[in-house]
Amino acid sequence: MANSVANTDTPGRRTEGEQRAADVQRAADVQRAADVQRAADVRTPGDGGDACPGALRLHLADDGPLARIRIPGGVLTTAQTEALAHAAHHLGDGELHLTSRGNVQLRALRTETCGADLATALHTAGLLPSATHERVRNIVASPLSGLDGQGHRDLAPWLHALDTLLCASTPAAHLSGRFLFALDDGRGDMTSLEPDITLVAGPRATATVTIGGTTLTVPADDAPRIAVYAAEAFVAAARNAGADRVWRLADLPGGPEAVRALACEVAHRPDVTATLTDSATVTPTETEVTATPTTPTPGPFPGGVSVAVPLGRFTPAQWTAVRHIAARTGLGVRLTPWRGAVLPGATPADLMALAATGLVTEPGSPWTGVTACIGRPGCAKSLADVRSDAQTAVHRTHVPAEPPTHVPAQHPADGQAEPPVHWSGCARRCGRPRGDRVDVVAVVGGYEVTAVRAGKAGRTTSVTGTSSLAATVAAARTGT
């Protein structure tokens, strides 16, 4: 998949100084447009009045301003990996913090002009194509699409089309920063992320667009356009409802019936060819989604390598290793919603260099599936330094194996891979993964550990202090 929206400015025969001045001016124009939009924003229902940060709307955390940079599909060109490294080093804490949607956060932005400086860097790199839409470009996509021979189609054309159409849509600018689109090449890896609108590639140039619980079967080439129609219909429905905090489809007053009515409205547009069904009635034969979803496992695969990032935090050394490989292959990097990265064109030999920096390069690593919010001292609401506690727990439960294991630990009861575990500094549980998981939530005096399976929370175990915390978390993951 190529980068979704490229920088189309043509420098001509400018000198280096003239080009730098032109880049600064364009970024200033972007910043001014964003300032005008924010000043005019009256926060009407459905107008995206959520608190999600962006590249232009910074969040003031305890460790300084925070920027969230949307990376549609997680796809970065080699030049963009360099731009992010430069911004992290010169403006932030030096690290790239990955989100559960494959986006990037820069933390501890420390210069007085950090907002304008960041806007300049991102705009020049093609990472900020629209000031008015920068927070709504929430698009996840099958990260192995077009690389491993699985799925029904390479998602690059869909990704480019959807991002371009979103940025061109005036109503779509009023989506919240939480609204999520997903592109699935047919392997079924996006459902667990609980997107609002899901595009799934099917056989014979067909596709499905699922809007909440209603599915439209459409010509594949029309899917991105129909997805944007659905997003625009949601914005209108949210405004008409006159309710606050209508940020996602599930927030619409009227529940599933209101969402189905919205889907019917889209399906019956004169410029849409679609067959409408309830998602619950769609059989595997009709969608032909891969029976076992294929998500990146740390290690080599046909077409490249995949790594996981401990606690979703790329250190400067780790990102440098990734950038060097991307520069050699010329194929860029794909960030995943599971806080990892796929390097197209990389070889098994590259894994040694990546592992030397502390990245996870094999599925048997004790870091597999372990994530955490920022915790103390970065967040005022956090009750604990969850990253430090998570690291201690991992080290206490890790027993080196000879030779290294190459398969994840299994649930004794059902033979399934261990669920991820997410460490949270407070009950908000920011950044937690969707689906099955173990929640480790800090409370006054310790932690509460809860296994969530099939959407239902099991028994919560309270742990005072941290001495027995590692064993409690391990037991929750294995179901023992």
Side-chain angles (χ1 to χ4, degrees), residues 242-263:
D244 292 327
R245 303 172 67 91
V246 182
W247 297 328
R248 303 192 64 181
L249 284 175
D251 300 326
L252 275 175
E257 288 303 317
V259 177
R260 179 173 172 78
L262 183 154

Side-chain angles (χ1 to χ4, degrees), residues 14-37:
R14 296 168 174 160
T15 65
E16 182 178 348
E18 291 172 335
Q19 181 60 43
R20 185 180 301 110
D23 289 340
V24 170
Q25 182 59 51
R26 283 197 302 273
D29 291 341
V30 170
Q31 182 69 55
R32 279 197 297 272
D35 291 340
V36 170
Q37 183 204 14

Side-chain angles (χ1 to χ4, degrees), residues 157-180:
W158 269 8
L159 183 59
H160 176 81
L162 179 57
D163 193 17
T164 301
L165 290 168
L166 268 181
C167 290
S169 167
T170 299
H174 299 291
L175 289 169
S176 81
R178 304 184 182 194
F179 199 89
L180 180 62

Side-chain angles (χ1 to χ4, degrees), residues 79-468:
Q80 289 169 344
T81 67
E82 300 285 348
L84 288 176
H86 186 273
H89 176 73
H90 291 281
L91 301 176
D93 63 4
E95 298 181 334
L96 300 184
H97 301 258
L98 304 186
T99 76
S100 58
R101 294 182 171 187
N103 294 320
V104 169
Q105 291 187 161
L106 301 182
R107 300 193 66 96
L109 298 175
R110 59 183 182 268
T111 68
E112 292 183 359
T113 59
C114 62
D117 293 342
L118 182 61
T120 300
L122 297 180
H123 181 73
T124 302
L127 290 168
L128 189 59
S130 171
T132 53
H133 292 70
E134 61 101 1
R135 292 193 320 120
V136 308
R137 301 170 67 224
N138 292 303
I139 307 172
V140 293
S142 303
L144 297 179
S145 174
L147 297 177
D148 64 351
Q150 303 297 313
H152 290 299
R153 65 182 292 145
D154 186 340
L155 294 176
W158 269 8
L159 183 59
H160 176 81
L162 179 57
D163 193 17
T164 301
L165 290 168
L166 268 181
C167 290
S169 167
T170 299
H174 299 291
L175 289 169
S176 81
R178 304 184 182 194
F179 199 89
L180 180 62
F181 297 86
L183 309 183
D184 188 321
D185 66 1
R187 72 184 68 220
D189 56 350
M190 294 289 105
T191 302
S192 64
L193 303 178
E194 300 179 9
D196 294 279
I197 298 175
T198 308
L199 287 64
V200 181
R204 299 176 293 279
T206 63
T208 60
V209 178
T210 299
I211 306 165
T214 302
T215 294
L216 311 183
T217 301
V218 303
D221 290 344
D222 295 346
R225 176 171 56 89
I226 292 170
V228 174
Y229 286 163
E232 293 173 341
F234 165 75
V235 170
R239 283 181 165 174
N240 292 337
D244 292 327
R245 303 172 67 91
V246 182
W247 297 328
R248 303 192 64 181
L249 284 175
D251 300 326
L252 275 175
E257 288 303 317
V259 177
R260 179 173 172 78
L262 183 154
C264 289
E265 174 187 336
V266 173
H268 292 134
R269 286 179 59 118
D271 55 347
V272 169
T273 300
T275 301
L276 186 149
T277 57
D278 288 323
S279 295
T281 67
V282 179
T283 66
T285 301
E286 291 171 313
T287 59
E288 294 195 25
V289 171
T290 304
T292 302
T294 307
T295 56
T297 298
F301 66 89
V305 304
S306 174
V307 297
V309 185
L311 299 178
R313 183 175 59 186
F314 268 116
T315 66
Q318 290 168 346
W319 192 241
T320 296
V322 168
R323 289 190 292 113
H324 287 171
I325 294 172
R328 191 193 75 233
T329 65
L331 298 177
V333 177
R334 301 181 185 184
L335 305 178
T336 79
W338 304 280
R339 294 182 172 90
V342 169
L343 284 75
T347 67
D350 292 317
L351 291 173
M352 292 186 63
L354 296 168
T357 67
L359 291 170
V360 178
T361 58
E362 57 183 29
S365 166
W367 281 109
T368 301
V370 180
T371 59
C373 72
I374 193 63
R376 286 180 179 175
C379 177
K381 292 183 171 61
S382 180
L383 299 174
D385 184 349
V386 292
R387 290 176 177 249
S388 177
D389 289 343
Q391 185 174 28
T392 299
V394 166
H395 290 163
R396 284 180 176 175
T397 56
H398 178 43
V399 179
E402 292 293 344
T405 181
H406 290 281
V407 295
Q410 303 290 307
H411 286 298
D414 56 20
Q416 298 299 309
E418 286 184 354
V421 55
H422 185 72
W423 294 69
S424 303
C426 70
R428 294 186 305 163
R429 297 174 294 168
C430 295
R432 70 185 183 278
R434 301 291 181 175
D436 290 356
R437 64 186 181 275
V438 172
D439 282 329
V440 185
V441 181
V443 295
V444 176
Y447 283 88
E448 292 182 344
V449 181
T450 308
V452 179
R453 303 196 71 181
K456 296 182 179 180
R459 179 174 58 89
T460 295
T461 302
S462 297
V463 181
T464 301
T466 59
S467 59
S468 62

